[in-house]
Amino acid sequence: MSSPTMDLLRSEPMQLAQLIIPMESAHRTISYLGDLGLFQFKDLNTEKSPFQRTYAAQIKRCGEMARKLRFLKDQMTKAGFSPSSRCSFDTRVTLDELEVKLGELEEELIEVNANSDKLQRSHNELLEYKLVLQKAGEFFHSAQSIAAAQNHEFEANVMGEVSIDSPLLLEQEMSVDPSKQVKLGFVSGLVAREKSMAFERILFRATRGNVFLKQVAVEDPVIDPLSGDKIEKNVFVIFYSGERARMKVTKICDAFGANRYPFTDDIAKQYQTISEVSGKLSELKTTIDVGQLQRSNLLRTISFEFEQWNLLVKKEKSIYHILNMLSFDVTKKCLVGEGWCPISATDQIKNTLQQASLDSNSLVGAIFQVLQTEESPPTHFRTNKFTSAFQEIVDAYGVAKYQEANPGVFTIVTFPFLFAVMFGDWGHGLCLFLATLYFILREKKLSHQKLGDIMEMAFGGRYVIMMMALFSIYTGLIYNEFFSVPFELFGRSAYDCRDSSCRDASTVGLIKVRGTYPFGVDPKWHGTRSELPFLNSLKMKMSILLGIAQMNLGIVLSYFNAKFFGNDINIWYQFVPQIIFLNSLFGYLSLLIIVKWCSGSQADLYHVMIYMFLSPTADLGDNQLFFGQKYLQILLLLFALVAVPWMLFPKPLLLKKQHQERHRGQAYRPLYSTEDSFELEIQSDLHGHEEFEFSEVFVHQFIHTIEFVLGAVSNTASYLRLWALSLAHSELSSVFYDKVLLLAWGFNNVIILIIGIIVFICATVGVLLLMETLSAFLHALRLHWVEFQSKFYEGDGYKFYPFSFASLSEDEE
Amino acid sequence: MYGFEALTFNIHSGYLEAIVRGHRSGLLTAADYNNLCQCETLDDIKMHLSATEYGPYLQNEPSPLHTTTIVEKCTLKLVDEYKHMLSQATEPLSTFLQYITYGHMIDNVVLIVTGTLHERDVHELLEKCHPLGMFDSIATLAVAQNMRELYRLVLVDTPLAPYFSECITSEDLDDMNIEIMRNTLYKAYLEDFYDFCQKLGGATAEIMSDLLAFEADRRAVNITINSIGTELTRDDRRKLYSNFGLLYPYGHEELAVCEDIDQVRGVMEKYPPYQTIFAKLSYGESQMLDKAFYEEEVKRLCLAFEQQFHYGVFFAYMRLREQEIRNLMWVSECVAQNQKSRVHDSVVFIF
């Protein structure tokens, strides 16, 4: 496949194509196109609601199958099976077969579940019953023994002397005629523990206190037969008297979901029932186990094929969605689809169409034809795993207009570079590199895993981080920073003390003994009094040079854009004055910086720049860097002044003229034949939308001009953040090094040293490696989005989303 | 307090206000209703709703659908949202949110009591209750034989207890009594809610007093119309009107003596805000009155969203969602019973 040479600077050339597909091969054709993944369908039925479309029934079918699959998956996860990814046998199932199969499986599962639920419920009921029998039995037993003891005592009392304590009426009480004794009824059962208080309260209220309630907590949670949940429960026995009370009690029991169980106070019968219940329980247990085994076998077989079925259903559903976007042709025998595809993919698509009609034994092949359109095509960049992250950075600001120059190309280098200018430390760079190396080496494994939110982000941007790390190693070497420790890597320092004692090193200074340090900043600068003034001046000037260079690149790209789209007005009345304006002021400043560096002059550049505006004709005096500087400055100032109206006025006026000419042409035109006039109507329809409002265009241009003129100043100042962040970074790292590590070292104590090292590592990782990386990243992002891209980038395009099965499986949660 | 909500409102309630406004933007629009009205079967409705916020609630329903399932699932969504908001709310918003549900509680109490009176199964009745108006011991209501028992057994534990002070009688429960009880409770509830909102002050009081006054007036009209031709005396009728609202007190005096719908109309037309409602109806007609009132209510509820920093939006959202569910129920019923011509009779468009 031949790829265009500049495929990342300009987005892929696209075309609007029409597909005419015979009904009988439509499904297969769309399926093949989905495998290919290079065609973005347009919805031709926007006015129809989803259920009015042709294939609504099929989509409903797929939805139903997806629901069944979800049900199966739910059952599988409950039973602890995970759908195995290994598709053991690649049997081709058709949708119809699958539908039948899924229906059967669902029915079978539901039946099995219902059976096991029923069994489980009776099992749980029996369990509860057993509990009631045990607990209530205990209670009755103890109550009876207490009563017996009392009786005994009473009898003893009767035998002996009547003590003063014994109630006087006791005798009467105990010797009531048994026939008059009220027969107390009782109800026993289980109630959820959290409800037990309310239960007791309501019982009390409803019967005005004429009940006796005894509750015993069951230690282990009990499975509720109705809901199947594990709940903590209490066994209760309620004694009441009278029929009405019984009605009330049973009603309240029902209302509280308390399960009642029959119970006898006859001990012999109790034992009998307990043994009966235990027997039933063990019987049920075996039945349930057999059922569970059968169920898990069923689920296991499902789990082997689940993924395959799931994918099939998803594919089918997406195919029908696409089919719904197509419209019928007049004869109702063909489907007509429209959509975008890359021009380079034309052959592939045609081959696919042919293949599809061959495979479906269709008499007529599908027709592919290119349509002419005024619509703006989608933007498609062919990215790989390295460039995609950088393209994401640009896309986050705005997707490029169709075929507009893509800043993503330059971002690959400039973004990590600007980051590194702020993050210059080759020790930190190395740490970052090792971290990202881990991601890159384990790429294959990690890309299939589910990572956390933040990890996912770091993993997605691994190549960006790698580039950032490499560049910061480079700038770190230039700054000569390694955790703020200077190294003499590239030879010996050029400076040395005046004498061996080095007493006056910090007062008088050092002398130069060797040639200039070959690469980067001389290590001797570190820790001197003049370190900051020297580095600040260096980094500030460097930031301005980098900024001017990048902004010029932006303006030059606007030239390439204008040339590509054949827009001469933009070249002559926007690009030219802009580049003149920027360079006559700040380009000149850059020139002065370079001249000052090369000549070693002492000139004050602030003074030069400020008086260039305030009194351009005044003599420069000491600040003169080269001959004729004064006249050059006056000339440049004039250029800059001219450039502003040049930007402002001609463009809107010329646009107005162009518009008027176009319309004059329309006012007088020869009459066409009917067919032509039809075409013309379409054309005029398309033109009719662009109404020309001069004031609007002028205001727009006015804003644009002001923005550019002011932006030239503020954007240049904005690039000073490169210096500021780099200063902050080096100062922070030197603080951690001096005030933590060296301080701890000074105590000559192992424990303090260990603590110091731990604090140092935490501070380095937390503050310098994570927070500083983030802040430098964001500042670099801003410099790209605002300062660089505002010079040329429109970013009002939309992305190309082809219909593809590959993206289908990615979508899955 | 008034005018300074903007300063402090967001500290506690900003998140929830954002949430509720987000929910509100998920309400079905006129375009959705138009599409829904064109549905042929309940499956079509499900398919259409699956593209809306109801999607996740309906997607696992097996295919032969019933209207009740749709309504149940839609209500479930509302309840989930309500529960989420309630769990996030701090005082006094949480109390405010709870107040919203008391109306449903009253309805549920009445439903269960009436049901037991006609000897229905309690569990069957419980399924019909609105989930927002559930409370712990609701099932026990079936035990009660008269008002006093009802109060003493069950309702004393619920927030409704204070509202009961006016209707504790030892009379046995019958349909008439229950209906009077419902209205007395509702009256006490509305007045309490009104007082609570007034206590909150600020924009909440302003907006809620308008919404609640409308509610009170609507109830007054409904009570009047429903009690025409019953044995309810004028004084009793007068007692059921809430003591606030636009009609209070002179309108109430006049409504209390009305004998037919046209007299009600005469009374109401004296009040400009209600003039428009009655202007839509022809003389002697009361069928469409409900819809007209609902439409007016929806309009007012939507207006509540125009202002920020007040609790009225929560009330308005809950009410709008309930209206939407009523609409869905109506549409689904019409579709299920093949009465598509009547779809527009009762659907109140929200936007």
Side-chain angles (χ1 to χ4, degrees), chain A residues 9 50 68 78 134 160 172 181 284-285 298 309 317-318 342 397 422 426 435 483 506 524 574 617 720 747 750:
Chain A
L9 183 65
K68 281 174 188 160
K78 264 188 197 158
Q134 282 168 349
Q172 264 176 296
Q181 230 172 357
L284 267 177
K285 186 82 194 135
L298 182 64
W309 292 345
K317 198 175 176 188
S318 66
Y397 175 82
M422 294 180 265
W426 62 276
F483 296 106
S506 58
K524 267 289 187 309
Q574 199 152 314
T617 50
L720 288 178
F747 278 100
V750 183

Side-chain angles (χ1 to χ4, degrees), chain A residues 49-52 56 59-60 63-64 67 70-71 106 201-202 205-208 244 248 251-252 254-256 324, chain B residues 35 38-39 41 43-44 46-48 59-63 123 137 139-140 142-143 145 149 152-154 156-157:
Chain A
S49 58
F51 53 85
Q52 287 172 329
I59 286 187
K60 252 183 253 170
E64 185 63 21
R67 185 191 64 75
R70 276 195 300 274
F71 170 75
E106 192 196 30
R201 200 164 49 221
I202 297 278
R205 282 191 204 138
T207 57
R208 294 159 204 255
R244 279 189 65 158
K248 277 187 180 168
K251 264 189 176 174
I252 292 172
D254 284 348
F256 274 85
N324 267 340
Chain B
N35 280 334
Q38 290 166 8
C39 289
T41 63
D43 278 339
D44 289 342
K46 174 188 166 188
M47 190 165 164
H48 186 83
Q59 67 173 4
N60 281 345
E61 288 310 308
S63 212
H123 291 283
S137 42
T140 338
V143 184
Q145 300 293 329
E149 268 193 342
R152 212 166 42 82
L153 272 181
V154 193
V156 72
D157 291 332

Side-chain angles (χ1 to χ4, degrees), chain A residues 423 428 431-432 483 736 757-774:
Chain A
F423 198 77
H428 296 153
C431 292
L432 215 55
F483 296 106
F736 290 142
I757 288 176
I758 290 173
V759 172
F760 176 73
I761 290 175
C762 289
T764 305
V765 171
V767 177
L768 292 174
L769 287 179
L770 294 179
M771 277 162 61
E772 275 281 293
T773 310
L774 192 65

Side-chain angles (χ1 to χ4, degrees), chain B residues 154-320:
Chain B
V154 193
L155 295 177
V156 72
D157 291 332
T158 66
L160 299 182
Y163 308 147
F164 244 86
S165 56
E166 278 187 42
C167 53
I168 301 178
T169 54
S170 297
E171 285 174 60
D172 277 350
L173 293 166
D174 60 40
D175 281 341
M176 179 80 169
N177 276 340
I178 291 172
E179 207 47 45
I180 291 177
M181 176 185 87
R182 181 212 296 271
N183 286 308
T184 324
L185 284 179
Y186 229 99
K187 171 196 170 173
Y189 156 62
L190 282 179
E191 284 172 3
D192 188 32
F193 196 7
Y194 184 79
D195 288 343
F196 175 74
C197 292
Q198 292 302 325
K199 227 186 297 163
L200 289 178
T204 307
E206 187 191 338
I207 285 163
M208 284 307 293
S209 66
D210 180 49
L211 293 175
L212 289 174
F214 178 76
E215 177 79 18
D217 291 345
R218 184 175 66 175
R219 289 198 79 82
V221 172
N222 280 339
I223 290 168
T224 313
I225 293 176
N226 289 335
S227 66
I228 290 172
T230 60
E231 60 218 38
L232 200 70
T233 62
R234 289 175 183 183
D235 282 346
D236 283 344
R237 192 196 280 179
R238 173 77 186 79
K239 267 189 217 155
L240 296 178
Y241 300 151
S242 307
N243 290 329
F244 66 98
L246 207 58
L247 299 175
Y248 177 76
Y250 305 113
H252 287 175
E253 301 295 342
E254 289 183 58
L255 275 182
V257 297
C258 285
E259 292 297 340
D260 60 48
I261 175 88
D262 286 333
Q263 284 181 15
V264 176
R265 187 189 181 108
V267 174
M268 295 305 283
E269 281 183 341
K270 291 180 190 162
Y271 294 86
Y274 301 121
Q275 228 167 16
T276 46
I277 296 177
F278 281 87
K280 286 180 203 161
L281 307 176
S282 54
Y283 276 90
E285 183 191 23
S286 63
Q287 297 290 316
M288 297 300 282
L289 186 64
D290 271 345
K291 193 190 176 192
F293 267 123
Y294 277 136
E295 273 171 358
E296 175 68 15
E297 187 190 12
V298 162
K299 209 192 289 170
R300 286 172 185 238
L301 292 172
C302 286
L303 282 179
F305 282 92
E306 300 297 309
Q307 206 168 336
Q308 222 189 327
F309 307 126
H310 65 92
Y311 294 157
V313 284
F314 297 97
F315 179 78
Y317 170 69
M318 298 295 287
R319 283 299 170 93
L320 285 175

Side-chain angles (χ1 to χ4, degrees), chain A residues 577-591:
Chain A
Q578 275 184 358
I579 204 140
I580 288 175
F581 183 83
L582 183 69
N583 287 314
S584 63
L585 300 181
F586 295 102
Y588 175 60
L589 176 63
S590 311
L591 179 78

Side-chain angles (χ1 to χ4, degrees), chain A residues 542-554:
Chain A
M542 196 178 68
S543 320
I544 289 180
L545 290 184
L546 292 175
I548 301 294
Q550 199 183 19
M551 286 194 288
N552 268 315
L553 173 65

